[in-house]
Structure formats: C-alpha cells, structure tokens
Amino acid sequence: MKSAAEQIAFDEQAIKRLLDAWGLWRDTCRFDKLRACYAPGATMVTTWFDGTASDFVDASIRSSTAATLTQHFIGPSTIEVHEARALAETRLILMGRTKLEDVDIDVTCYGRLFDRLVRTGDGWRILSRMPIYEKDTLAAVDPGLAVQLDAVRLKTYPAAFRHLAYVQASSGATITSRIPPHNSPAQRELYAEAQTWLRAG
C-alpha cells in the first residue's frame, strides 16, 4: 500500500502524462484519444472556442482539414493534488503556420494552461481548462516578404494574444472574450475559485 506521499507522487506523474499526451493527440489528429483526456461534462476554453470539451473535439475534427499546421509544445507543470481532485498549471507554446493575405506566416503564442482535474474510474481526466496567455509574435516564413496587418483592427484584440486572434479571426473564428489576462485581477480570481473547488472535494 502506498504512503500518502507516494500516492501524491503517483498521481502527479499520471496527471503530467495526461497533459503531455493531450498536446500530441491534438496535433496528430488522434481525436478518440483526445476525447478520452476529458471527464464527463468537461469544459474547454481556447482563443477560438468556449464550450464543452466534447464540442471542442468535434470542432477540432472539423478544423483539421484546414490549411493550418498547429503544434502545442507542452512544458513543465505545477500540480496540486487533494484527494480525487487536482489543479495543474502548465507552460505552453502554441505554434501555427498558415497564410495571411497570401503570405505564409508563423504565429507563436506563449502562456499557460490552467486545469481542474478529477480522478475517475479510468484515471485522471481534465474537468475544465482555461488558458492564460502572456505574449505572442507573428512573422513571415520568408523574411523578405512583408506581412500587412490592419493596425486598428489588431488593437481590438487582447494584447497577450492579439496576433493569434487576428489570424484566427481572419479565418472566420469568433475570439473568446473571457480569457483572464496574465497577472490580472481576473487571474487571481480564477486561482482563488480553483482553490475553493479543490478543497471542497
């Protein structure tokens, strides 16, 4: 039988494996495996989606035929386990390659993924996910080409991910409005609510 410390270490390792796998399953279009990362009734927020995790996977399937290459680099995680609930905050680099005004571009966004997780009969699963973005960049793949952006429109998007939002909106996406800015009162509220939820389990 595991000690309390051994059980927490075991749970943390299992959660980290889940979070690492999420990025690979999403990027390689293994959607059945991606769907299995979520608990029943899970929710998901991204720059372009706000709804149930099931609908997010369905939307990801539909968008997988688009001419955009997306990669999620999943970095280190800070994980806090309390009985059958856990919180995880994970470094993320989101990298996309697509076209903007007929120019091949790379857009890169840096931030974190903030997850609530629950232990189910099938293991740890994501119950809710909220991203927190810090900064982003956009550049032409060919440095000799200029990328023309509408400066007025660009400023209408949140500063931390405005280039990513600009590109996604140009492809018809609706940009999510409730992602908390980095180190903001909304972020602190998110953390406080998550701690209350964690201890209530």
Side-chain angles (χ1 to χ4, degrees):
M1 183 175 178
K2 297 183 182 70
S3 69
E6 288 172 336
Q7 183 62 53
I8 289 174
F10 179 84
D11 288 335
E12 288 176 347
Q13 291 173 358
I15 290 168
K16 182 55 180 167
R17 286 195 298 270
L18 170 69
L19 301 179
D20 288 344
W22 182 94
L24 185 62
W25 302 154
R26 173 66 180 82
D27 295 344
T28 57
C29 299
R30 286 182 264 188
F31 294 114
D32 288 344
K33 291 181 178 293
L34 180 66
R35 199 181 298 275
C37 291
Y38 296 100
T43 60
M44 181 76 189
V45 176
T46 72
T47 53
W48 58 271
F49 181 87
D50 186 350
T52 69
S54 179
D55 286 347
F56 167 75
V57 176
D58 291 340
S60 298
I61 293 171
R62 292 192 296 271
S63 67
S64 64
T65 58
T68 298
L69 174 64
T70 303
Q71 293 177 308
H72 297 78
F73 177 82
I74 306 297
S77 297
T78 298
I79 299 167
E80 186 176 2
V81 177
H82 180 71
E83 298 178 352
R85 295 184 176 189
L87 300 175
E89 192 162 7
T90 306
R91 282 289 180 186
L92 169 73
I93 303 175
L94 174 60
M95 297 166 284
R97 175 165 291 186
T98 188
K99 282 185 178 292
L100 187 64
E101 302 297 335
D102 294 323
V103 176
D104 290 323
I105 58 108
D106 282 333
V107 59
T108 306
C109 194
Y110 302 83
R112 289 112 61 205
L113 299 172
F114 189 75
D115 294 323
R116 301 186 191 192
L117 303 104
V118 291
R119 187 193 290 119
T120 72
D122 296 318
W124 286 97
R125 297 292 184 265
I126 299 167
L127 182 64
S128 69
R129 169 165 285 182
M130 175 68 76
I132 303 169
Y133 294 112
E134 299 168 5
K135 63 179 182 177
D136 72 343
T137 62
L138 184 151
V141 175
D142 181 346
L145 297 178
V147 184
Q148 300 296 327
L149 303 181
D150 182 328
V152 174
R153 182 181 147 207
L154 182 66
K155 289 183 179 180
T156 65
Y157 301 116
F161 59 95
R162 63 175 35 144
H163 298 91
L164 177 61
Y166 188 105
V167 171
Q168 291 175 332
S170 296
S171 299
T174 299
I175 303 305
T176 305
S177 61
R178 69 183 185 99
I179 295 175
H182 173 57
N183 286 345
S184 66
Q187 177 187 290
R188 291 191 287 274
E189 183 178 349
L190 174 68
Y191 287 169
E193 291 175 348
Q195 283 295 325
T196 299
W197 170 85
L198 179 67
R199 302 301 167 186

